[in-house]
Amino acid sequence: MQKKRSMQELNRGKGKSENKSLNKTGNNATKTEACPYALKCGGCDYQGIPYEKQLAEKQKEIQKLLGGFSKLYPIIGMEEPFYYRNKVHAVFNRDRKGNIISGVYEKNSHRVVNVDSCMIEDQRADAIILTIRKLIKNFKLKVYNEDTGYGLFRHVLIRTGHVSGQILVVLVLSSPILPAKNHFVKALRAAHPEITSIVLNVNDRRTSMVLGEREIVLYGMGYIEDTLCGLTYRISPKSFYQVNPIQTEKLYRTAVDYAGLTGKEVVLDAYCGIGTIGMTAASKAKEVIGVELNRDAVKDAIANAKRNGIKNIRFYNKDASDFIVEMAALKAKCDVIFMDPPRSGSTEKFLDCVALLAPQKVVYVSCDPTTLARDLKYLTKKGYKVEKIQPVEMFCFTRHVECVTLLQRKDM
Ligand code: SAH
């Protein structure tokens, strides 16, 4: 079982009982313990800042960027803003004394900060990484050296299922050959019987990308499953999956609620990943079409629809902009668009075709308010009005914010 430190524990011995008062977002987190890695690690922007203040900062930032468009609701915060990350990545290296270390890159550099446990990562994952570090040493294996290109162990990526409890360990190696492979896997499983799958990912290129193309399943199914909003999904190593499962349910419920579906609509789920938003909406729509660039994610999405018995959804492995151009050329019917692009936002090509398809509603899920503001500005010139924006906290301790925006056609 994962041992979670509660807010009370974290605040214990710090005097005043500030944490007992609930703030507007319903969370009781007002203080934080300092993270020992905060000064070097580039992961968190808000370490040492009380959680309530972090939320206020985010609200202020969004207000500045998006307040001019429409009503902005208060951000939905977390009650326990710790250990939420279900995807944990660590890079291997050696310190000056030659000890094997693992962790994150120091801010703006390729120096590795050795991290034993992180306040925002799933603690089961952190414990497994420590074991892998020991096993590399015990098995006399080598960690990869970025400068020379020699060595085997490059990264480890761990995905944990919040509901299922399943754990996938992806060992990213520079070669497909892991000496004493079976013993290594056996030792790792013996130390962590909670691991449900182990995959060897081969990354033999001099690149800063974590994962390579080739995957060899060493144990289990090669993916994890997890449940969100009542549906169960398979998630492969390379597929995108929201990193904060507790908040994702709030995010998706808001998005589907904003779509106001009645059962008659044809819905496009653009940038659909493994199909989660589209499938959450499918029971309330006539038909859903998902489009996604990542091949593995689309394979997962198809398997997920089957697994959940959802028959009114189809997936296409394409660039979202190219796909919507085809839809517009065919004058396809489309009543609602969910769009959830990466941080870079969408493209003018995509947004032009949104205007051509003219769905009544566009529900824009964004993880970057700057590109969201840019795209909203464009859409408001193309016949859409921003009705409301709901920020949702997905990335506690970092400056990142997720927002769900509802746009309606102005002539409706
Ligand atoms: N809606 C999903 C995924 C959101 S993340 C969820 O909530 O889980 C953004 C997704 O866009 C990723 O899966 C990424 O692979 C995909 N993507 C990135 N560029 C794309 C493009 N040009 N066309 C289609 N999908 C793209």
Side-chain angles (χ1 to χ4, degrees):
M1 267 302 285
Q2 176 180 18
K3 187 182 171 297
K4 291 219 176 209
R5 285 199 287 175
S6 69
M7 282 308 304
Q8 273 78 7
E9 265 184 85
L10 280 159
N11 290 331
R12 197 166 290 151
K14 290 205 159 191
K16 308 257 182 282
S17 56
E18 286 167 79
N19 56 326
K20 284 190 186 127
S21 60
L22 288 180
N23 69 10
K24 279 182 219 126
T25 49
N27 66 71
N28 57 3
T30 54
K31 278 191 150 193
T32 70
E33 213 173 53
C35 163
Y37 312 105
L39 291 177
K40 284 192 168 171
C41 159
C44 293
D45 313 282
Y46 290 156
Q47 273 298 343
I49 299 179
Y51 186 54
E52 253 187 31
K53 201 154 172 244
Q54 296 179 26
L55 292 176
E57 281 295 318
K58 292 190 185 190
Q59 192 76 30
K60 211 164 81 190
E61 183 63 17
I62 312 164
Q63 184 65 40
K64 206 164 67 190
L65 289 164
L66 303 168
F69 287 104
S70 82
K71 184 170 172 48
L72 198 66
Y73 290 107
I75 187 166
I76 302 173
M78 283 195 94
E79 267 182 45
E80 298 284 344
F82 302 104
Y83 310 116
Y84 60 86
R85 276 193 73 95
N86 59 11
K87 182 171 125 181
V88 175
H89 159 246
V91 55
F92 293 107
N93 208 331
R94 281 184 186 276
D95 66 13
R96 286 206 189 114
K97 292 182 188 146
N99 301 313
I100 297 167
I101 58 170
S102 65
V104 292
Y105 291 114
E106 204 169 302
K107 215 169 196 166
N108 304 323
S109 95
H110 263 227
R111 274 193 300 275
V112 175
V113 183
N114 189 36
V115 175
D116 289 344
S117 99
C118 165
M119 284 166 74
I120 63 170
E121 293 174 353
D122 189 309
Q123 291 173 295
R124 293 169 297 183
D126 284 351
I128 293 169
I129 294 172
L130 285 186
T131 301
I132 294 172
R133 233 197 258 166
K134 281 188 207 137
L135 290 179
I136 297 174
K137 185 172 178 232
N138 295 350
F139 278 72
K140 298 192 169 48
L141 297 166
K142 296 234 170 344
V143 295
Y144 184 78
N145 181 318
E146 274 186 12
D147 298 326
T148 62
Y150 287 111
L152 186 62
F153 276 76
R154 297 187 73 160
H155 308 265
V156 55
L157 183 84
I158 299 186
R159 281 187 189 272
T160 56
H162 180 69
V163 175
S164 68
Q166 295 180 10
I167 299 181
L168 167 70
V169 176
V170 184
L171 303 170
V172 185
L173 309 186
S174 59
S175 150
I177 298 155
L178 169 60
K181 182 181 76 191
N182 293 346
H183 290 300
F184 191 94
V185 168
K186 204 169 152 196
L188 184 55
R189 286 183 53 212
H192 296 279
E194 66 275 21
I195 295 174
T196 50
S197 187
I198 303 173
V199 169
L200 190 169
N201 176 282
V202 187
N203 186 352
D204 52 10
R205 286 180 301 174
R206 305 281 283 263
T207 162
S208 58
M209 296 278 288
V210 173
L211 296 176
E213 265 304 304
R214 193 167 157 207
E215 280 172 4
I216 302 162
V217 177
L218 302 181
Y219 168 68
M221 303 179 294
Y223 54 82
I224 57 158
E225 291 175 321
D226 204 19
T227 301
L228 273 180
C229 301
L231 299 172
T232 298
Y233 300 99
R234 134 185 154 176
I235 309 136
S236 298
K238 291 199 213 80
S239 298
F240 177 88
Y241 187 61
Q242 301 283 355
V243 296
N244 187 330
I246 295 174
Q247 295 298 95
T248 301
E249 293 207 326
K250 297 173 192 166
L251 180 77
Y252 288 175
R253 291 215 161 97
T254 306
V256 174
D257 174 49
Y258 277 15
L261 299 167
T262 64
K264 294 188 189 130
E265 294 82 3
V266 176
V267 173
L268 174 65
D269 179 9
Y271 311 89
C272 71
I274 59 167
T276 42
I277 296 179
M279 279 187 247
T280 307
S283 62
K284 300 178 184 72
K286 180 170 171 246
E287 189 189 332
V288 183
I289 301 157
V291 61
E292 161 64 46
L293 193 59
N294 179 316
R295 199 184 49 211
D296 289 7
V298 174
K299 278 190 198 156
D300 285 349
I302 293 166
N304 290 333
K306 207 166 163 191
R307 189 182 191 299
N308 290 297
I310 299 173
K311 301 214 165 68
N312 61 339
I313 194 161
R314 274 172 298 151
F315 293 98
Y316 294 88
N317 184 198
K318 286 211 162 163
D319 169 80
S321 302
D322 292 346
F323 184 76
I324 201 169
V325 167
E326 285 172 34
M327 276 184 85
L330 292 168
K331 295 193 168 50
K333 179 174 153 54
C334 181
D335 304 298
V336 172
I337 294 181
F338 288 104
M339 53 186 288
D340 184 6
R343 267 186 206 151
S344 52
S346 194
T347 64
E348 290 191 359
K349 186 161 128 184
F350 185 94
L351 300 172
D352 285 340
C353 291
V354 169
L356 287 174
L357 285 174
Q360 288 97 323
K361 289 178 181 156
V362 177
V363 181
Y364 193 141
V365 179
S366 157
C367 56
D368 186 332
T370 307
T371 55
L372 174 64
R374 181 199 68 202
D375 291 350
L376 292 184
K377 193 169 163 206
Y378 198 80
L379 278 173
T380 51
K381 286 189 192 140
K382 295 259 163 190
Y384 282 86
K385 182 171 171 283
V386 180
E387 292 290 329
K388 48 186 172 179
I389 303 175
Q390 174 66 69
V392 181
E393 166 80 301
M394 299 286 281
F395 314 103
C396 317
F397 290 93
T398 81
R399 69 192 152 74
H400 299 292
V401 199
E402 192 90 11
C403 287
V404 185
T405 302
L406 172 65
L407 295 114
Q408 300 240 37
R409 256 186 30 219
K410 277 184 193 154
D411 55 6
M412 294 292 297

